[in-house]
Amino acid sequence: MENKESLFLDVKITKRLKNFELNMDFRAGGGCLGILGPSGCGKSMTLRSIAGIITPDEGRIALTDGEEERVLFDSWRRRNVRPQARRVGYLFQNYALFPNMTVEENIGAGIKGRNKKKVVERMLERFRLAGLEKRYPLQLSGGQQQRVALARIMAYEPDVILLDEPFSAMDTHLREKLRLELQEILKEYGGVSILVTHDRDEAYQLCRNMVLMDQGRAMAAGNTRELFHNPITCKAARFTGCKNISRIERTGERKLRALDWGGLELTTEIPIGDEITAVGIRAHDFEPLSQEAARGWEEKEEGNLIPVRSPSVSEMPFEWYVTLNNGLWWKTEKSIHAHSAEDVIPPWLRIPPSALILLTGEPE
């Protein structure tokens, strides 16, 4: 498909739902946009609004390509383009393949014109489905079904593809392989793509930009890696996987006391603003230190030493989960063959000032 770097999708909609009001305002384009949030927060409802499956109460949805604009929905101008005319491809969680149609029939469903056969052949080749043309969906693996569904969508050459939890029905061992396949497809795709997920690993791997969503609203938005590095709010930090969050008392320009970690005193890399209410530490960011190595940091302001005394240790296949007496949680790698943490647990941990995440809002 022709690359459309200038193509953008603008969404600004509201819709009253049972438990809250969906209120979304974002722009997608230039790489896959991820919408990350818990189940029931309105992620899929946002996609259905873009696809035209449901109608928002109010708002506007439009595609812009340079100076050209194509309005898909505008409540004020009473415009609501029917789903079949929006050029929006929707990959449902269950793929929605026609069970009584073969692979080639599913891909060609809805395609009209003399080029239909050539388009289907091209999609079979592109999505590595050659040899499966005469099979029915129940005769395919989950990964093959997903490729058929994507081939059917791409046969239309849509301006937008919407991916609604595409790996939710997959076994764990299949997900990574299929993520890599989808990553390559999205690289080749020239239009706007939006991935809805509750899995932060999926969002991080596949999406250049991300919207963190809760209760129908965007809590934060921006470059995916930047949001993980600096989530800004306590809730956003939780969504991106930070489990260590404590309220703070500011004791200096770059010094704080972590109230929920036994009053642990820490030095930050940057000044602590008046808006900062909490500090976060990701479980992988601790540095294990020997007694001798710890002595080298004792007199340094940026030492941030944490004693390890009788921690609680849980064994996972490839990691140790270590909970300190003050409630801090540390995660460290292990071999599948190792079953004793005796030589793994150090007398001290250290957290570099650059690894401290300064946050606003209230910890949960």
Side-chain angles (χ1 to χ4, degrees):
M1 182 177 178
E2 179 188 355
N3 191 28
K4 298 183 178 181
E5 293 182 357
S6 60
L7 186 65
F8 292 93
L9 175 72
D10 292 294
V11 177
K12 187 173 184 179
I13 55 172
T14 60
K15 185 171 181 65
R16 185 64 196 170
L17 304 178
K18 185 176 180 180
N19 298 319
F20 55 83
E21 183 178 78
L22 180 69
N23 193 333
M24 292 295 284
D25 185 355
F26 64 87
R27 164 172 271 206
C32 185
L33 173 74
I35 300 180
L36 176 67
S39 297
C41 73
K43 303 186 303 295
S44 293
M45 196 64 70
T46 300
L47 292 195
R48 290 170 187 159
S49 298
I50 295 168
I53 298 170
I54 68 154
T55 302
D57 296 332
E58 195 173 90
R60 193 171 190 271
I61 302 170
L63 276 162
T64 57
D65 190 355
E67 296 181 0
E68 295 183 12
E69 181 181 67
R70 187 161 65 90
V71 178
L72 305 182
F73 173 76
D74 191 323
S75 60
W76 297 282
R77 295 184 179 181
R78 298 181 180 274
R79 180 169 177 77
N80 190 13
V81 176
R82 60 191 179 91
Q84 297 86 345
R86 291 195 177 198
R87 294 189 66 185
V88 173
Y90 196 125
L91 183 67
F92 293 89
Q93 292 181 26
N94 62 359
Y95 311 133
L97 297 174
F98 298 111
N100 297 323
M101 289 186 180
T102 63
V103 167
E104 61 184 1
E105 288 169 343
N106 264 285
I107 294 173
I111 299 176
K112 298 178 182 179
R114 288 178 294 179
N115 289 330
K116 178 176 178 176
K117 185 177 179 181
K118 288 184 178 179
V119 171
V120 172
E121 288 175 351
R122 190 169 73 246
M123 291 299 110
L124 287 167
E125 183 68 26
R126 179 178 177 184
F127 288 92
R128 294 183 288 107
L129 295 165
L132 303 176
E133 299 93 326
K134 304 301 180 184
R135 292 193 186 181
Y136 291 90
L138 285 177
Q139 298 174 309
L140 303 174
S141 69
Q144 289 167 341
Q145 288 182 32
Q146 186 183 86
R147 292 206 301 275
V148 174
L150 281 167
R152 185 173 65 184
I153 289 170
M154 294 300 193
Y156 288 95
E157 296 194 343
D159 290 327
V160 181
I161 55 173
L162 307 174
L163 307 163
D164 193 353
E165 301 272 9
F167 308 106
S168 61
M170 296 288 173
D171 292 334
T172 304
H173 72 279
L174 275 176
R175 285 180 189 168
E176 182 58 27
K177 178 185 176 184
L178 294 176
R179 279 183 197 167
L180 293 173
E181 287 185 2
L182 182 58
Q183 191 173 37
E184 291 306 308
I185 291 167
L186 292 177
K187 282 180 182 177
E188 295 174 8
Y189 176 60
V192 175
S193 55
I194 301 176
L195 169 73
V196 150
T197 182
H198 64 270
D199 187 314
R200 62 178 179 272
D201 293 340
E202 273 175 28
Y204 193 89
Q205 183 177 16
L206 296 170
C207 303
R208 183 185 302 176
N209 297 299
M210 189 166 63
V211 175
L212 299 178
M213 187 176 178
D214 189 35
Q215 290 290 295
R217 295 177 180 270
M219 296 187 307
N223 177 269
T224 299
R225 280 156 178 73
E226 179 56 31
L227 274 178
F228 272 78
H229 176 69
N230 183 24
I232 300 175
T233 70
C234 291
K235 185 167 269 192
R238 290 279 185 210
F239 271 42
T240 58
C242 182
K243 292 182 171 62
N244 294 312
I245 298 178
S246 170
R247 296 167 298 140
I248 68 160
E249 176 186 321
R250 187 173 180 269
T251 58
E253 184 184 33
R254 294 191 302 114
K255 290 183 176 296
L256 60 85
R257 183 176 293 112
L259 302 179
D260 298 315
W261 300 333
L264 180 66
E265 295 187 349
L266 298 167
T267 298
T268 64
E269 184 178 49
I270 60 175
I272 306 165
D274 293 337
E275 75 283 2
I276 300 301
T277 58
V279 63
I281 302 174
R282 297 200 182 272
H284 283 107
D285 283 345
F286 295 96
E287 295 179 357
L289 296 179
S290 65
Q291 196 73 46
E292 183 180 358
R295 279 197 290 269
W297 287 104
E298 282 179 342
E299 303 301 322
K300 296 181 180 179
E301 189 178 58
E302 67 273 21
N304 289 348
L305 293 174
I306 306 165
V308 181
R309 301 188 183 102
S310 303
S312 172
V313 181
S314 297
E315 181 184 359
M316 302 301 285
F318 302 104
E319 292 173 313
W320 295 107
Y321 291 178
V322 181
T323 305
L324 306 188
N325 290 337
N326 62 6
L328 278 167
W329 187 64
W330 172 45
K331 191 189 291 188
T332 185
E333 293 182 358
K334 68 177 280 288
S335 164
I336 188 67
H337 306 292
H339 302 293
S340 172
E342 186 175 343
D343 297 329
V344 176
I345 306 303
W348 295 89
L349 292 175
R350 174 179 179 262
I351 183 70
S354 60
L356 292 173
I357 308 170
L358 299 180
L359 301 167
T360 62
E362 287 297 318
E364 296 178 2

